[in-house]
Amino acid sequence: MEEVEWTPRQPRAEDLRVGLISWAGSYLTYETYKNTVTATAKGLGRRQTWEILVSNEHDTQAVVRLRSLQGLYLLCEADGSLCYGRPRTSHHGCFLIRFHRNGQWTLQCIISGRYLESDGEDVFCTSRVLSAYHMWTPRPALHVHVILFSPLNHCYARADPTMGRVWVDAPIPCLEECGFLLHFQDGCYHLETSAHTFLSHLDRLVSQPSTQTAFHMQVRPGGLVALSDGEGGMLYPQGTRLLLSLGSNPHGGEEWFILQHCPTWVSLMSKTRKFFSVIYDVEVCAASEHISPMSLFQFECDNETPALQLRSTNGCYLAQRRHRAVMADGHPMECETFFRMHWNCGRILLQSPNGRFLGIAANGLLMASATIPGPNEEFGIRLANRPFLALRGRYGYVGTSSEHDLLQCNMDQPDCIHLLPCRQGIYHFQAQGGSFWSITSFGTFRPWGKFALNFCIELQGSNLLTVLAPNGFYMRSDRSGTLLADSEDITKECIWEF
């Protein structure tokens, strides 16, 4: 088989959304029941999230529309007031965005020529004279667990805990070291590695966040970002080894990265505790007792359907072929690469397009042969590039608050949940201080338990999961802000982005 080059996935809609922060530190917000737009919210939630739809872009400016998660648009009326709805003409709702050197944006109504501004509460378009009140700071609204892809070098950023550096040299983002947590604080960003160190202005990884780990971010529609120190230094790959460090002379746009949600990579194990691996370029065999790069598969799933694709590090997808064999030679649009997934207590069953279930043949090869699944068709599955979870639900991230002793689900920033694998699909949840998650008789959680409890994780999408808590109920987010485990069925509030 000819070698297939790894193709980065196209940005998803959620990768391209932003929140817009006014000069007063509040977010542009659409008020669902009033058909108005304000700037009073202090955090980034669903009503503060906007998709930037570009119709024309050129260097330092672009013509765009802003669309809310409800599918309605930000509209400027003739009297300078703002509402949201559907455009009535081809230019209604169009704004000219100018990208300023300090990373801020200005939005000018195409029809009236007036700038979008806020007085700290209300939002309007009345002035044609640019001032500080017209400045908006974009904040990427995607999940904080991200990867950074360099379009110029065709590689991903990778933390090196041994050397204490970050290199832009990973052709495939399958390692946990390719994932970073993007913390937003006081208008700046801090890049935390999977080992919980921080990238600093001195090009080294340090143990604690500080002013030396704070970077300014320039954002462009389409998921492009560039990081700087605010004093003229830009972060870009340098030298023959592509060390990610500050410099003042990037060439050809090498300071720009595509910011994307960290993908999910998994390993699969048969009932004989052998890992699935791709051998002889395309055959899939359960024969290895140890994980290797050829034992890793990217978990790609349409969030609307249970159709799953598994992408190998050889760049191809698992596909059902002749004689019911499953080979790693598929392409993304082939119907033979889509498998239906079923869950049984943390173990996964995969059903091929012909209706048969995948199982392990006597020679160890992966085959689609069983019409009725049994133990041979149940596979263990483990997150391969996630030593921790950062969970986001309908109302925010899961974390601790100084105002509550119970775990909350409406936080602006997440607490890391360290995963201690117990058995396939079952994990212990460990809090940041080393204690364990505990559950009360009311189905609420505290982060300072002394004993490890079993939590069952089941993947529901490319970056979505459900958690079955030790009390037998699904964990869900609640409008009150308290994290609960009291749902017998999987509802929208039980789905967690990770």
Side-chain angles (χ1 to χ4, degrees):
M1 178 182 173
E2 295 182 7
E3 185 174 348
V4 177
E5 183 180 354
W6 180 266
T7 304
R9 71 165 174 83
Q10 292 299 309
R12 298 191 180 99
E14 53 265 33
D15 295 333
L16 311 179
R17 295 169 182 157
V18 300
L20 291 173
I21 308 171
S22 73
W23 61 273
S26 54
Y27 288 80
L28 186 69
T29 303
Y30 61 91
E31 303 293 347
T32 310
Y33 303 110
K34 301 177 183 178
N35 192 31
T36 59
V37 180
T38 64
T40 56
K42 296 299 182 183
L44 177 58
R46 293 179 61 83
R47 291 189 296 116
Q48 293 78 39
T49 299
W50 301 87
E51 189 173 349
I52 308 297
L53 304 178
V54 180
S55 59
N56 189 11
E57 184 174 2
H58 178 70
D59 291 341
T60 60
Q61 60 188 37
V63 177
V64 304
R65 278 194 169 104
L66 275 66
R67 186 169 64 187
S68 72
L69 295 184
Q70 283 191 331
L72 299 176
Y73 295 81
L74 180 69
L75 303 175
C76 179
E77 302 299 1
D79 62 357
S81 65
L82 288 166
C83 64
Y84 71 100
R86 302 197 181 279
R88 295 187 295 272
T89 67
S90 60
H91 289 95
H92 193 208
C94 286
F95 293 86
L96 177 66
I97 287 186
R98 287 189 174 89
F99 310 117
H100 298 268
R101 292 177 63 87
N102 61 1
Q104 293 181 313
W105 292 357
T106 52
L107 293 94
Q108 186 179 23
C109 176
I110 289 290
I111 296 175
S112 68
R114 297 185 176 98
Y115 290 97
L116 183 72
E117 65 176 298
S118 168
D119 60 5
E121 292 185 1
D122 295 322
V123 183
F124 40 85
C125 276
T126 57
S127 175
R128 291 188 175 94
V129 181
L130 192 62
S131 72
Y133 297 106
H134 302 122
M135 294 293 177
W136 297 86
T137 301
R139 176 186 174 184
L142 81 170
H143 190 280
V144 297
H145 201 175
V146 299
I147 54 174
L148 292 164
F149 175 70
S150 170
L152 203 65
N153 298 290
H154 300 284
C155 282
Y156 296 85
R158 174 187 63 89
D160 184 347
T162 305
M163 299 288 291
R165 302 291 183 92
V166 175
W167 314 97
V168 186
D169 64 355
I172 304 171
C174 60
L175 303 174
E176 66 180 61
E177 290 82 7
C178 293
F180 296 86
L181 287 173
L182 190 65
H183 296 283
F184 181 73
Q185 185 177 4
D186 299 327
C188 292
Y189 294 85
H190 302 261
L191 271 180
E192 182 181 358
T193 72
S194 60
H196 304 299
T197 55
F198 294 83
L199 181 62
S200 74
H201 296 177
L202 303 176
D203 311 333
R204 293 186 177 276
L205 298 175
V206 296
S207 59
Q208 296 293 330
S210 68
T211 56
Q212 288 296 300
T213 66
F215 291 91
H216 297 264
M217 180 182 287
Q218 295 185 34
V219 180
R220 296 288 186 272
L224 281 174
V225 300
L227 295 165
S228 69
D229 62 358
E231 298 178 355
M234 300 296 298
L235 205 59
Y236 59 96
Q238 299 181 50
T240 56
R241 292 195 59 187
L242 299 177
L243 171 68
L244 187 61
S245 59
L246 285 172
S248 57
N249 194 27
H251 296 287
E254 58 187 344
E255 74 274 24
W256 292 101
F257 291 86
I258 296 176
L259 187 70
Q260 292 183 334
H261 195 163
C262 185
T264 302
W265 288 79
V266 299
S267 60
L268 294 164
M269 181 182 283
S270 68
K271 70 172 185 178
T272 58
R273 303 187 65 79
K274 299 293 178 63
F275 289 102
F276 293 9
S277 298
V278 177
I279 61 173
Y280 306 122
D281 290 335
V282 295
E283 290 186 348
V284 185
C285 183
S288 176
E289 296 181 355
H290 304 284
I291 292 181
S292 70
M294 299 309 291
S295 308
L296 303 180
F297 300 91
Q298 187 172 343
F299 191 98
E300 299 182 14
C301 182
D302 184 345
N303 297 341
E304 302 300 324
T305 68
L308 167 67
Q309 289 180 297
L310 291 170
R311 189 182 188 187
S312 168
T313 52
N314 69 2
C316 292
Y317 292 79
L318 298 195
Q320 183 197 328
R321 297 307 188 197
R322 290 184 302 171
H323 309 299
R324 301 174 183 170
V326 175
M327 312 290 279
D329 63 354
H331 298 283
M333 301 307 294
E334 287 186 90
C335 62
E336 290 82 6
T337 64
F338 289 89
F339 298 89
R340 187 178 179 88
M341 60 178 175
H342 307 268
W343 288 95
N344 182 21
C345 299
R347 303 180 74 83
I348 194 170
L349 296 91
L350 299 175
Q351 191 173 15
S352 67
N354 69 0
R356 295 180 180 270
F357 289 86
L358 271 58
I360 305 301
N363 59 2
L365 292 177
L366 187 62
M367 307 286 287
S369 54
T371 55
I372 300 176
N376 190 51
E377 286 70 44
E378 289 188 359
F379 305 132
I381 184 169
R382 183 166 292 175
L383 296 170
N385 67 329
R386 302 297 179 105
F388 59 83
L389 293 178
L391 295 180
R392 181 165 70 172
R394 290 182 64 82
Y395 309 111
Y397 287 99
V398 172
T400 52
S401 167
S402 59
E403 301 173 359
H404 303 88
D405 65 342
L406 300 174
L407 281 165
Q408 301 296 297
C409 61
N410 61 352
M411 306 299 292
D412 188 59
Q413 300 281 341
D415 285 359
C416 286
I417 306 165
H418 292 274
L419 295 176
L420 302 180
C422 178
R423 55 184 184 271
Q424 296 297 319
I426 308 297
Y427 296 85
H428 301 321
F429 282 9
Q430 190 174 37
Q432 288 176 308
S435 56
F436 295 96
W437 275 32
S438 64
I439 188 169
T440 71
S441 57
F442 301 104
T444 55
F445 296 92
R446 291 190 173 96
W448 52 71
K450 294 183 179 180
F451 305 103
L453 301 177
N454 291 343
F455 292 82
C456 178
I457 291 177
E458 295 180 352
L459 300 178
Q460 304 294 338
S462 294
N463 284 98
L464 301 176
L465 57 76
T466 52
V467 178
L468 194 61
N471 64 356
F473 292 96
Y474 284 100
M475 197 168 77
R476 70 173 180 89
S477 55
D478 188 73
R479 192 179 295 274
S480 68
T482 302
L483 182 66
L484 293 171
D486 63 358
S487 181
E488 294 183 4
D489 302 312
I490 297 176
T491 66
K492 288 184 178 180
E493 291 184 331
C494 299
I495 302 295
W496 300 95
E497 190 181 5
F498 71 99

